[in-house]
Amino acid sequence: MDFVIKFAQAHESFRVAEIQALAVIEGVDLEVLEYRDDSPFCIARLPSAGDAHRLIRRSILAQSVHELWGTGATFDALHQSVTERTSKIWADYKSVSFKFIIDSYQGAHSNSERLSIINTFDYLPFEGPIRRLVGKSSRETVLKFDLKKRGYISTTSMDSELSLITANIALAGPGKLFYDPFVGTGSFPIACACFGAMAWGSDIDGRSMRGEGGTKSLRGNFQQYDIEQRLGDVFAADLMNSPISKNKRIWDGIVCDPPYGVREGLRVLGLKDPEKTPWLIEQGKKNASSPDFVPPKKPYSFLAMLDDILAFAAATLVDNGRLSFWMPTANDEDQEIPVPTHPSLEVVVVCVQKFNKWSRRLITYSRLSDEKVSAAAVAVYHSRKTVSTVGSTVDDLNPFRRGYFKKFET
């Protein structure tokens, strides 16, 4: 059966990626027949109306789905298509109530024009309304989780719409374990928990998670939405110094928005020059267990961070588990940062949110099973030069930050 999916007028490059991910989650056989970014309508083939309903019931970007009865470049062609495709089932809808709605795109019709168009369908032998709406999406969920209504946020909290879309594309769902290693105030774990996953998180700065305590904290956000039972736990750590064993593949999904290092340089736990400050090492050994202890940090390369995210995901994701993370880059091809790769991870989709001279990508990978990982690719990966620190300033360590403050001039 063919259906029309109507999308919201937002985040065009994310639309198909989201419904394809939902097809995986729901176990629905989906074929996209026609779609363009400049149109809110997508024609898709699905086994049944029930499958169509299941496909979009938790979608954020789809608004509704309808059975497709006909198409045409002109009204005459449209009526011919409707007759040829559906005349055999008209009798089934003879006494069913119906309603016509003219939904215009890139144009408008007056009330008299709308009525005139509707009257051209008077050959349909319906005595009551025919409503071919199959199902609605979960787009209203965006309002429920709106940051303006959330008790605790920061300047870097990801907005609810993109958080929910990310959770969908990463296949968050009941019975799954999801983790955010840059958790902040919890936008991504909240979105994953909304769809039934058990959420975990960590951050190099424990203060961002603790907040002021009570309702003004990450845990308070979970309490606000009555999903605290789906919060596994959060802890202070960075990606390179994590208590999570890299010998156990436990996560069904990893979702995150790593720091871009624009406001301040990227940092990782450790000392820039341990030999010059041995007393800090001793101080850390004595005070590490104290709740007031703030561990020292050293500069961190942006490219090394991207590399470390993929390595961590490859070591801890289950087979077919997904990594979805946001990465900024310049729009200029000469300054564009390539999509990072790893032999154990297959790129599923890259969605782009464009700004003026830069964009941020949502890059989604799937963890390959070990038997599908190319031994040659692994050998090349391990023989390459390690992504290392080059230079000592925050701009030296971060090509995106350097370009950002130079307004990405070539």
Side-chain angles (χ1 to χ4, degrees):
M1 298 177 66
D2 292 348
F3 296 84
V4 175
I5 300 173
K6 182 186 177 185
F7 288 113
Q9 287 291 78
H11 306 303
E12 290 81 0
S13 75
F14 295 73
R15 294 165 170 171
V16 171
E18 187 196 38
I19 63 167
Q20 287 175 332
L22 294 176
V24 175
I25 292 172
E26 299 289 352
V28 171
D29 186 11
L30 166 69
E31 180 182 358
V32 176
L33 302 179
E34 183 179 325
Y35 173 74
R36 302 192 315 272
D37 279 353
D38 62 355
S39 169
F41 301 106
C42 171
I43 298 177
R45 184 161 292 161
L46 297 158
S48 68
D51 290 314
H53 171 72
R54 289 192 295 117
L55 176 69
I56 74 154
R57 62 183 174 181
R58 56 176 269 185
S59 174
I60 300 303
L61 291 176
Q63 291 182 326
S64 57
V65 60
H66 310 257
E67 284 184 26
L68 177 63
W69 275 36
T71 63
T74 65
F75 283 116
D76 288 342
L78 172 62
H79 294 312
Q80 181 180 351
S81 176
V82 170
T83 301
E84 291 175 351
R85 293 172 63 134
T86 67
S87 59
K88 293 181 180 179
I89 61 174
W90 288 353
D92 297 338
Y93 298 99
K94 183 177 181 180
S95 59
V96 178
S97 62
F98 75 94
K99 179 181 181 181
F100 277 92
I101 297 175
I102 306 296
D103 195 344
S104 302
Y105 175 65
Q106 292 184 337
H109 297 282
S110 65
N111 289 336
S112 61
E113 289 174 332
R114 290 170 181 262
L115 181 60
S116 177
I117 293 171
I118 292 172
N119 286 337
T120 63
F121 290 89
D122 60 0
Y123 57 89
L124 294 172
F126 302 147
E127 297 177 357
I130 181 166
R131 197 173 282 127
R132 300 315 301 141
L133 173 65
V134 173
K136 292 185 177 180
S137 68
S138 293
R139 186 152 179 79
E140 69 278 359
T141 308
V142 174
L143 299 177
K144 176 182 177 181
F145 292 96
D146 189 347
L147 292 184
K148 295 178 181 178
K149 304 175 184 177
R150 190 170 299 176
Y152 176 59
I153 62 172
S154 71
T155 55
T156 58
S157 296
M158 181 67 76
D159 73 78
S160 62
E161 183 174 29
L162 289 174
S163 296
L164 292 163
I165 293 169
T166 301
N168 269 338
I169 293 177
L171 309 183
K176 294 184 177 182
L177 300 179
F178 269 67
Y179 172 60
D180 181 354
F182 306 94
V183 71
T185 61
S187 291
F188 289 116
I190 287 170
C192 294
C194 163
F195 293 127
M198 183 65 71
W200 299 72
S202 65
D203 201 285
I204 191 173
D205 188 352
R207 294 171 297 181
S208 66
M209 299 176 288
R210 293 191 296 269
E212 299 175 15
T215 59
K216 295 288 186 179
S217 66
L218 184 152
R219 186 172 295 275
N221 286 340
F222 274 78
Q223 294 170 346
Q224 176 181 343
Y225 301 118
D226 196 26
I227 52 174
E228 188 179 8
Q229 70 277 12
R230 297 188 197 136
L231 175 61
D233 207 348
V234 292
F235 52 92
D238 70 27
L239 199 63
M240 293 299 294
N241 300 277
S242 173
I244 297 172
S245 172
K246 294 184 180 180
N247 297 319
K248 293 183 180 180
R249 293 168 58 188
I250 59 173
W251 303 122
D252 296 289
I254 298 172
V255 289
C256 59
D257 182 25
Y260 304 162
V262 173
R263 291 182 177 86
E264 57 183 17
L266 296 174
R267 295 287 187 270
V268 67
L269 294 178
L271 297 173
K272 184 177 180 179
D273 195 343
E275 294 182 359
K276 290 185 178 181
T277 55
W279 62 88
L280 287 177
I281 297 176
E282 295 302 318
Q283 186 180 48
K285 291 179 180 179
K286 294 179 181 178
N287 302 325
S289 60
S290 171
D292 297 328
F293 175 68
V294 179
K297 303 175 181 66
K298 64 181 180 180
Y300 193 24
S301 163
F302 178 80
L303 297 179
M305 178 185 68
L306 299 180
D307 199 57
D308 291 339
I309 291 172
L310 267 63
F312 178 84
T316 61
L317 281 173
V318 301
D319 287 354
N320 302 314
R322 290 194 173 185
L323 162 67
S324 289
F325 80 96
W326 289 83
M327 188 193 93
T329 185
N331 291 335
D332 190 302
E333 291 183 3
D334 294 335
Q335 301 181 58
E336 185 178 1
I337 300 173
V339 172
T341 60
H342 190 284
S344 297
L345 300 172
E346 179 181 43
V347 176
V348 176
V349 67
V350 178
C351 303
V352 181
Q353 182 186 26
K354 290 187 177 182
F355 300 106
N356 185 14
K357 292 187 177 182
W358 68 283
S359 304
R360 60 179 179 179
R361 304 166 175 157
L362 175 62
I363 309 173
T364 300
Y365 306 80
S366 178
R367 182 36 162 112
L368 297 171
S369 58
D370 289 338
E371 59 269 20
K372 292 183 179 179
V373 177
S374 167
V378 172
V380 171
Y381 177 80
H382 288 299
S383 65
R384 69 192 169 91
K385 292 183 178 180
T386 303
V387 178
S388 59
T389 299
V390 179
S392 57
T393 70
V394 290
D395 281 349
D396 290 336
L397 297 170
N398 190 337
F400 175 76
R401 186 181 195 274
R402 185 167 61 248
Y404 185 90
F405 285 111
K406 291 183 179 180
K407 299 182 180 179
F408 300 105
E409 296 174 355
T410 303

